[in-house]
Amino acid sequence: MPSRPVRRRNPPRAVAHDPAVGTEVELETTGVAHGGIMVARHEGRVVFVADAIPGERVRARVTEAKSSFWRADTLEVLEASPHRREHVWSEASVTRDPEGRAGGAEFGHIELAHQRELKRQVAADALARIGRIDDAPDFTVQALPGGDDAAGTGWRTRVTLHVAPDGTVGPYAARSHTVIPVSSLPLAVPELAAIAPLTERLGDAASVDLIAPAEGPLQIVTARDGSRPPLAAITERVGDREFALEALGFWQVHRLAAATLTGAVQRAIDADAFDPRAANLDLYGGVGLLAAAVGDRFGQATRITSVESYESATDFAARNLAEWVGARAVTGRVEQWVRGRAENATATERGRQRAATIVLDPPRAGAGTEVVAELVSTEPAQVVYVACDPVAFARDAKAFAAAGYAIRSLEAFDLFPNTHHVELVARLSRD
């Protein structure tokens, strides 16, 4: 995946020009919506409320007013949920003015077990309401080992800090590009929190990336004038296997996420439907993590092609997959590559495509109807879908279902404690 682009510094926060904006209202929250916000109603209008919990009564300030809904920030909790706790990040607490709250820990005021239940509800609602899937397997959102011991903190191995025009370093405020000065980074692994330049002034910088690889020294990458310095390779580890990648290349953020997803993908594949000689695929393959998971389960002779649009990642994937004689890594946009694969296949290749297992790990927006249509046109034996957004997954699952591919297994993981994000791993196949 490409390195993250340098963002513009502190563009103005968008504010709807409506008399309701700035109004303070009392609200009773009744549910949770995708994106880490809660749902309430005011005089019949839906209001999406930040920093609340279902079942609470809060005083909130309207920040956006449209004809169909409002958005609001919690100012005061009038009747608290039994699941509310002191926020794990004091600089994101509801006790601060909303515009001065650090973003990136929007569930930090909720007990961990209830966070996971809310994430489950969001994913289940998306499958039912958006995916129109009423027979999805039951699932819970699983905690990663040791996560609850530290209240869901100390897990981020990658942190991006931004720099304000005056040189202040910090995270963005929630839902804005305003840099918030902070004195702590509780979600970061301790070694990154210790080196973060939170008290410095970096007037000539745009952002600072902190990386804690599994092997080697910590990395600090500062972007200046829209550019970053040349990046050295780093080494990550999953069990006994090493993966080389660019310092700012895509890698799972939680220190245990790569190992967790490796195991989940291996479990999801139906061994009876897997053919090591088929035209197996790892799409949006990055540096080869999930292709390696397949190869480790089914042996060195496994045929699998990893497809990734970012050339540097593909180069690393070729190195990381070198021990599998049937593995290869290619650079290409997935939607274009799968279209050409289907259009140009010989009769023998079409047979291998029908026998294929496809691992699909798209970006947050999902694979999309075009990619799904090309994949199902080749009638693969099974698809293992790794999803970082439940709504995008639900849309894609609906497209798969229209072609007869139902969800046969489903696991969910809390790879991002104290945020609203959740990771899903599903297997889809036809009867």
Side-chain angles (χ1 to χ4, degrees), residues 92-241:
S93 171
V94 72
T95 59
R96 293 170 63 104
D97 184 89
E99 294 191 358
R101 294 173 194 166
E106 61 278 1
F107 273 10
H109 60 291
I110 308 173
E111 292 176 347
L112 283 170
H114 198 57
Q115 289 184 32
R116 294 193 284 268
E117 169 56 19
L118 294 178
K119 295 177 187 187
R120 186 202 65 79
Q121 290 177 21
V122 169
D125 175 72
L127 287 171
R129 183 173 51 83
I130 297 173
R132 303 296 188 205
I133 296 169
D134 55 12
D135 57 352
D138 292 333
F139 66 96
T140 60
V141 177
Q142 304 172 46
L144 272 60
D148 289 9
D149 298 339
T153 64
W155 53 267
R156 288 193 70 101
T157 61
R158 272 95 174 134
V159 174
T160 298
L161 300 173
H162 305 280
V163 184
D166 67 356
T168 299
V169 180
Y172 281 146
R175 299 172 299 283
S176 89
H177 287 173
T178 300
V179 175
I180 303 299
V182 297
S183 60
S184 64
L185 296 171
L187 300 193
V189 293
E191 54 266 43
L192 283 191
I195 66 168
L198 299 177
T199 60
E200 299 182 20
R201 289 291 183 268
L202 302 177
D204 61 342
S207 64
V208 179
D209 284 281
L210 311 174
I211 305 104
E215 304 287 341
L218 304 178
Q219 304 283 318
I220 302 178
V221 181
T222 302
R224 291 182 170 87
D225 299 324
S227 63
R228 288 189 167 96
L231 300 176
I234 60 172
T235 300
E236 294 292 355
R237 180 178 293 277
V238 178
D240 295 330
R241 184 168 299 287

Side-chain angles (χ1 to χ4, degrees), residues 284 360-369 371 385 388-389 392-393 395-396:
Y284 310 96
L360 192 62
D361 184 12
R364 196 166 301 282
T369 55
V371 170
Y385 194 126
C388 60
D389 186 287
F393 171 64
R395 287 195 296 263
D396 287 346

